[in-house]
Amino acid sequence: NINGYLWRASLDVLSIAPLISTDAFGGTILTDWYDDPKIKNKRIKLAVFVKSRELRSDGISVKVYIQNINGNNRSKFTHDRKLSSKIEETV
């Protein structure tokens, strides 16, 4: 079981990107790759894990994957810990 408030807030924040998978019982939300028009030549993918039944600031974990795009070439993805923390704070 997970906290419903954290779950709904996570879905709301991630509504900018298309969802691939959600598991309300396990607390996992995965998005597809998303091209933000404000960020040139990069795309992002998000994974959110609701880890608590209680409404706590550490009850959620976010991973942000960034991939550089150069024409048809795509780099290996990297993690953006700063953006992950920002999204966790927003939720």
Side-chain angles (χ1 to χ4, degrees), residues 32-71:
D32 201 355
W33 287 104
Y34 169 71
D35 297 317
D36 187 338
K38 298 176 190 171
I39 305 171
K40 300 273 187 213
N41 301 322
K42 293 187 180 188
R43 65 184 190 162
I44 64 172
K45 185 174 192 156
L46 304 162
V48 174
F49 307 96
V50 179
K51 307 182 297 183
S52 174
R53 290 184 192 187
E54 300 169 358
L55 184 58
R56 301 170 38 139
S57 62
D58 64 347
I60 188 169
S61 174
V62 177
K63 292 203 182 268
V64 177
Y65 304 97
I66 304 278
Q67 188 175 51
N68 294 318
I69 302 170
N70 186 6

Side-chain angles (χ1 to χ4, degrees), residues 18-30:
L19 300 178
I20 305 178
S21 174
T22 60
D23 178 6
F25 297 107
T28 306
I29 304 169
L30 301 173

